[in-house]
Amino acid sequence: MSKTALITGVTGQDGAYLAEYLLKKGYVVHGIKRRSSLFNTERVDHLYQDPHVDKRDFILHYGDLTDSMNVTKVIQECQPDEIYNLAAMSHVKVSFDTPEYTANADGIGTLRILEAVRLLGLTPKTRIYQASTSELYGLVQEVPQTEKTPFYPRSPYGVAKLYAYWITVNYREAYGLHASNGILFNHESPIRGETFVTRKISRAMARIALGMQDCLYMGNISSRRDWGHAKDYIKAMYLILQQDKPDDYVIATGVTTSIREFIQKTFAAAGMEIMFSGEKEDEIGRIVNIDEALFNEKIGKDYIDAIKARMKNNPVMVKVDRNYYRPTEVDLLIGDSTKARTKLGWIPKYDLKGLIEDMTTSDIHLMKKETHIKNGGFRTFNYFE
Ligand code: NAP
Ligand code: GDD
């Protein structure tokens, strides 16, 4: 008998990788997608199955975590062995603009799932994974952060996730639900949302190298993050739900890097050396050297003369725009995942170099496609969020 999983947030970065992973393991996967005025399933389109075929193992339901009746109905319909609650308004900066919605979806949304499982009598059957986050540590009280480090969230997103974390623990202790938190540190990939910092940088590097964008505007580039690859992190989610006892785990690489260094490493991956000077809002990043062989290999010989001219005439490629600053910032994240590594046997395959290689290769390919479309006389769009 194959197991049944329900993934909320299946159209997001993690949901898409997890769905693919569970399908390969023989699961029947149900996912909740939101109604939108345009198709919003690009990340899972390769898994899509025609609803008219007899036996499907990937089934999408319309839904929203702000709608209790919908959440209860979907859970009742699919009777899942495992629920992965990945749905969330996941952008920290946007949560300052939409604090109430964020609390509703990210905080109370988790309660709706736990309560539905309980009221439907599924407690003995259904295991629940809650997508908790290193944003809980916020103004960090300890370095590195472990499962025992006190929380101090610094955004409406972090505070909403704090509620979700504790309500998960409470339902486990009060009602015996198999409910666990994965406290995941930042994880990225070629399908990361375009407005998160790593993807914004990776896309901008490809566009600047191909002459499609002039400058990369950034917020606070001094903050530091512990970045892993989403493909490794979704395996940890799976492992957490395979344990006999529910528990909470930190998932991290244990390496922290500043945004500034991430920019330098990303441009260096295509042969461009960036040097920073100035302070705060006046800080700029200039291109100071080009590894021609690497640039030609990664970007192409057709673009080398333009980038050399750029270095001579207009070398500033990175500027700071205070509009990207957050009212309260999380300055430093670095996780200690010893518990996950020893108890779950979780070992990530990617390091930061591998992650950057994967992301830049994909974005260079994507932007070359855009270039061809543009050269063919069609319109392409610029997004600078
Ligand atoms: P993501 O790419 O932003 O995906 C979020 C998903 O949630 C999308 O499918 C989105 O649907 C859906 N969603 C948003 N609001 C919803 C609502 N009200 N009802 C139902 N679905 C809703 O995020 P991710 O990077 O995959 O992260 C997955 C989860 O892990 C999130 O809960 C996030 O907060 C958490 N997390 C992420 C990281 C990280 O570094 N990636 C680290 C720690 C924790 P649309 O596609 O329609 O927008
Ligand atoms: N997005 C963005 N855009 N961030 C910028 C920019 C910019 O132009 N410039 C600097 N930053 C800084 C942010 O201020 C923050 O310190 C850091 O880059 C990382 O920002 P994001 O990539 O937006 O991620 P995040 O760390 O705020 O949140 C992500 O990771 C959390 C786990 O720690 C999200 O995926 C959350 O959902 C997740 O919980």
Side-chain angles (χ1 to χ4, degrees):
M1 278 287 283
S2 49
K3 279 192 187 170
T4 299
L6 170 64
I7 304 176
T8 73
V10 74
T11 57
Q13 169 189 258
D14 293 2
Y17 282 129
L18 181 65
E20 199 174 273
Y21 185 69
L22 294 179
L23 284 167
K24 280 201 187 123
K25 287 196 173 291
Y27 276 64
V28 173
V29 176
H30 293 257
I32 294 184
K33 66 167 176 175
R34 294 194 291 176
R35 194 270 159 182
S36 142
S37 63
L38 292 168
F39 286 126
N40 62 348
T41 51
E42 199 183 323
R43 291 192 179 103
V44 288
D45 279 346
H46 61 295
L47 306 175
Y48 179 81
Q49 291 165 347
D50 187 331
H52 305 99
V53 300
D54 282 347
K55 220 168 170 284
R56 284 189 296 156
D57 54 10
F58 184 61
I59 300 129
L60 294 180
H61 306 255
Y62 280 111
D64 198 299
L65 283 203
T66 59
D67 181 338
S68 313
M69 282 183 275
N70 165 268
V71 167
T72 309
K73 177 176 141 304
V74 173
I75 294 174
Q76 186 177 29
E77 270 173 20
C78 52
Q79 299 275 312
D81 299 293
E82 296 170 9
I83 297 178
Y84 296 87
N85 181 29
L86 310 185
M89 200 310 287
S90 71
H91 203 282
V92 173
K93 172 96 179 355
V94 176
S95 78
F96 288 97
D97 300 323
T98 60
E100 184 184 343
Y101 173 74
T102 305
N104 193 0
D106 300 13
I108 310 294
T110 303
L111 171 68
R112 293 187 179 102
I113 290 175
L114 295 162
E115 188 65 352
V117 167
R118 191 174 80 85
L119 294 179
L120 290 168
L122 289 170
T123 302
K125 172 182 168 81
T126 306
R127 297 180 172 193
I128 301 166
Y129 171 87
Q130 169 56 23
S132 285
T133 163
S134 46
E135 278 292 304
L136 296 173
Y137 299 117
L139 188 65
V140 298
Q141 304 293 298
E142 188 181 30
V143 178
Q145 295 86 51
T146 71
E147 291 80 5
K148 294 200 164 68
T149 303
F151 298 139
Y152 192 142
R154 294 269 280 175
S155 64
Y157 168 80
V159 176
K161 286 279 188 178
L162 184 76
Y163 176 84
Y165 174 92
W166 281 117
I167 200 69
T168 301
V169 173
N170 183 243
Y171 269 57
R172 177 167 83 214
E173 293 175 354
Y175 305 117
L177 260 72
H178 193 297
S180 303
N181 285 288
I183 308 171
L184 270 53
F185 282 61
N186 298 51
H187 46 279
E188 321 290 314
S189 74
I191 59 167
R192 179 62 147 152
E194 292 88 346
T195 61
F196 295 99
V197 81
T198 55
R199 189 76 200 287
K200 177 172 168 176
I201 296 166
S202 166
R203 281 167 59 89
M205 182 282 284
R207 294 175 64 86
I208 290 172
L210 292 165
M212 299 163 74
Q213 183 174 326
D214 192 42
C215 189
L216 167 62
Y217 290 94
M218 301 296 304
N220 171 20
I221 56 175
S222 297
S223 61
R224 305 182 74 85
R225 290 291 180 274
D226 178 332
W227 281 297
H229 198 301
K231 278 190 179 170
D232 283 328
Y233 285 43
I234 56 101
K235 289 182 190 162
M237 298 176 188
Y238 168 77
L239 287 172
I240 288 171
L241 287 202
Q242 307 319 304
Q243 305 309 302
D244 289 339
K245 283 195 177 160
D247 204 349
D248 309 315
Y249 297 89
V250 161
I251 306 296
T253 68
V255 177
T256 191
T257 309
S258 72
I259 315 298
R260 190 179 291 104
E261 290 166 68
F262 191 92
I263 295 172
Q264 288 175 314
K265 287 178 192 295
T266 302
F267 278 74
M272 292 171 280
E273 187 184 341
I274 301 283
M275 191 179 270
F276 283 94
S277 58
E279 283 190 16
K280 297 190 174 151
E281 276 124 278
D282 295 324
E283 185 164 0
I284 50 167
R286 285 173 298 124
I287 177 163
V288 292
N289 192 28
I290 300 166
D291 177 335
E292 278 197 40
L294 188 57
F295 186 90
N296 288 344
E297 182 198 325
K298 298 286 179 181
I299 307 291
K301 282 186 184 145
D302 294 349
Y303 302 95
I304 188 74
D305 290 340
I307 201 77
K308 280 177 157 172
R310 179 78 209 266
M311 186 166 76
K312 208 166 142 212
N313 305 320
N314 178 20
V316 178
M317 290 184 165
V318 186
K319 289 184 186 168
V320 172
D321 175 350
R322 59 175 299 117
N323 285 316
Y324 294 113
Y325 286 177
R326 297 166 182 194
T328 38
E329 178 62 278
V330 173
D331 293 318
L332 165 71
L333 291 175
I334 176 166
D336 175 350
S337 57
T338 306
K339 180 175 170 186
R341 289 173 198 244
T342 44
K343 284 201 168 175
L344 304 175
W346 177 73
I347 301 165
K349 281 198 185 136
Y350 286 84
D351 60 7
L352 187 64
K353 193 166 188 284
L355 171 68
I356 291 176
E357 184 64 31
D358 200 22
M359 292 183 74
T360 53
T361 302
S362 171
D363 277 331
I364 292 166
H365 182 74
L366 184 70
M367 294 310 163
K368 279 192 177 167
K369 196 169 104 188
E370 293 262 303
T371 308
H372 290 309
I373 293 171
K374 204 171 168 190
N375 292 344
F378 297 97
R379 218 172 138 197
T380 57
F381 296 95
N382 286 326
Y383 299 103
F384 291 115
E385 242 191 277

